[in-house]
Amino acid sequence: MKARLRMKAITGLSLAVMMGVSAQASAAQAPMDVDVYQVPMHFTFDGKEYAPPEGQQGFIYEGTTYVPIRFVSYSLDKAVNWDPNTYTVTIAEPKATDKINISEYKLNTQVFSKSTEKFDKSKLAPSNLKVYKEKINYVFDGVKKSPSDELPGYIVDGSLFVPIRFFSESVGKTINWDPETYSVSAVTKEEKKPEVKLPEVKPETKPVTPPIIGGGGGGGGGITKPSEASINAEAKERMSALQSEAAGVLLDLYAKYLATHDESLKAKAREYIRETSDKKFEQIMSDTETKLTSNGYDRSIIDTYRSDYEKTKADQEEALKNK
């Protein structure tokens, strides 16, 4: 048996929400009895092995491999949202709070002790599974996608399973399936190639002509004025980096809390949010406001940045209270 951390309740697309899908599906139609092969699948993403929560193992039906969409999405660092009114699943790049939930989910599903036991294929036999076949709408990074009618998604015990080929093509990632070892694998992070240094070539020295300042014709050199868009783009990039840094720090503290149940770690997390994170954010705002003002641009965007930051901070602190 593979050892892994016990699953905890995860915010975001929770199992409770998916159970709501099952209830609605049962109201729409009766479940189907299908014969599937429930094989011991292995999931490896970026060199780390993960295992789905209990009751969400993948299966093979009529030659097609089906996988739990939330588990695979989170493993690929994608956010998942479910709209029960329109039966729509949305897969997209995660926001700051999504990243914390995804990191926590992956921490609990990662396999730290791999089993060396080999599966005896001669014992492979079909088993009966009750599934709901419903028309589900899928949106991947803003683009609507639909599997073929012959390969729909199935709802099993409140969880949505989709064909692995459909998911791979829709999410834009190469997901490999090895039928011999029942292994699913993918690489989401590009490998950094070693930098190749070219021989240094000394440029030919030429006399420098100083720029003409003033004068007729309206030309002239001088420092190029940055655009308002470039100033805001730089601010957003710095804030995104700060959010990623905060998510990493909070996840590390939470991992330590899971291992020790030391309540002081919660205080450290709050202190980080209010001290380190806040100070870095204020520095970004100060720099951005100075650039906007000195170049004659509107500064009202600063209020929007502050409002968004306070909301994210409130979400993080609320999440700490619920741990």
Side-chain angles (χ1 to χ4, degrees), residues 177-214:
W177 164 250
D178 186 342
E180 294 299 318
T181 60
Y182 305 122
S183 297
V184 177
S185 61
V187 176
T188 64
K189 300 174 182 176
E190 295 183 3
E191 182 180 357
K192 293 184 179 180
K193 298 180 179 180
E195 183 180 355
V196 178
K197 293 185 178 181
L198 299 175
E200 183 180 356
V201 178
K202 293 184 179 181
E204 182 182 354
T205 303
K206 294 182 178 180
V208 178
T209 303
I212 300 174
I213 299 178

Side-chain angles (χ1 to χ4, degrees), residues 295-306:
N295 288 283
Y297 297 130
D298 183 16
R299 297 176 298 167
S300 60
I301 190 67
I302 297 295
D303 294 333
T304 302
Y305 292 152
R306 291 188 185 280

Side-chain angles (χ1 to χ4, degrees), residues 121-136:
K121 294 184 179 181
S122 64
K123 297 181 180 180
L124 186 63
S127 58
N128 185 264
L129 198 65
K130 289 186 180 296
V131 304
Y132 290 94
K133 182 180 178 181
E134 290 286 343
K135 176 62 176 177
I136 306 293

Side-chain angles (χ1 to χ4, degrees), residues 4-165:
R4 65 174 184 267
L5 295 175
R6 183 177 298 175
M7 281 299 300
K8 295 177 67 67
I10 307 298
T11 55
L13 183 68
S14 64
L15 184 58
V17 175
M18 294 306 291
M19 289 300 288
V21 178
S22 177
Q24 293 177 5
S26 62
Q29 64 178 43
M32 300 167 47
D33 286 313
V34 298
D35 290 329
V36 304
Y37 289 94
Q38 293 180 307
V39 297
M41 295 185 185
H42 302 276
F43 296 86
T44 303
F45 301 97
D46 295 321
K48 296 180 180 179
E49 186 171 346
Y50 298 88
E54 292 295 335
Q56 296 186 35
Q57 307 301 317
F59 58 85
I60 299 174
Y61 175 56
E62 293 185 343
T64 297
T65 302
Y66 288 81
V67 293
I69 193 169
R70 181 174 68 139
F71 167 74
V72 177
S73 297
Y74 278 12
S75 298
L76 293 173
D77 293 320
K78 288 284 190 177
V80 186
N81 287 293
W82 166 253
D83 185 346
N85 296 319
T86 60
Y87 268 45
T88 301
V89 175
T90 301
I91 313 295
E93 290 299 314
K95 299 178 181 177
T97 50
D98 293 325
K99 290 179 180 179
I100 296 176
N101 295 331
I102 291 172
S103 297
E104 181 180 338
Y105 185 94
K106 291 173 69 175
L107 178 67
N108 285 285
T109 56
Q110 185 174 348
V111 176
F112 294 94
S113 178
K114 299 182 181 180
S115 173
T116 57
E117 182 180 354
K118 293 186 178 181
F119 178 70
D120 186 356
K121 294 184 179 181
S122 64
K123 297 181 180 180
L124 186 63
S127 58
N128 185 264
L129 198 65
K130 289 186 180 296
V131 304
Y132 290 94
K133 182 180 178 181
E134 290 286 343
K135 176 62 176 177
I136 306 293
N137 301 306
Y138 300 89
V139 179
F140 290 83
D141 293 317
V143 180
K144 293 182 179 180
K145 302 281 186 177
S146 298
S148 64
D149 293 336
E150 295 78 18
L151 300 174
Y154 290 108
I155 298 172
V156 182
D157 292 331
S159 294
L160 176 61
F161 290 74
V162 294
I164 191 170
R165 173 178 286 186

Side-chain angles (χ1 to χ4, degrees), residues 231-281:
I231 294 174
N232 285 317
E234 180 186 356
K236 291 177 181 178
E237 183 177 351
R238 292 176 64 185
M239 286 187 289
S240 177
L242 176 59
Q243 289 176 345
S244 298
E245 176 190 320
V249 171
L250 295 177
L251 176 62
D252 181 61
L253 289 172
Y254 181 65
K256 292 178 181 177
Y257 173 77
L258 285 179
T260 63
H261 296 286
D262 183 356
E263 291 294 327
S264 68
L265 292 171
K266 290 185 178 180
K268 289 183 179 180
R270 294 189 182 94
E271 181 181 357
Y272 171 81
I273 294 173
R274 295 170 183 171
E275 297 295 330
T276 306
S277 183
D278 280 359
K279 288 180 180 179
K280 290 185 177 181
F281 174 76

Side-chain angles (χ1 to χ4, degrees), residues 274-321:
R274 295 170 183 171
E275 297 295 330
T276 306
S277 183
D278 280 359
K279 288 180 180 179
K280 290 185 177 181
F281 174 76
E282 288 302 327
Q283 185 61 55
I284 296 173
M285 291 298 96
S286 176
D287 294 345
T288 304
E289 188 169 8
T290 298
K291 291 179 181 179
L292 290 171
T293 302
S294 62
N295 288 283
Y297 297 130
D298 183 16
R299 297 176 298 167
S300 60
I301 190 67
I302 297 295
D303 294 333
T304 302
Y305 292 152
R306 291 188 185 280
S307 176
D308 292 344
Y309 177 76
E310 290 299 326
K311 184 179 183 304
T312 299
K313 187 172 70 170
D315 291 341
Q316 291 172 338
E317 292 186 346
E318 184 64 27
L320 287 173
K321 294 179 182 178

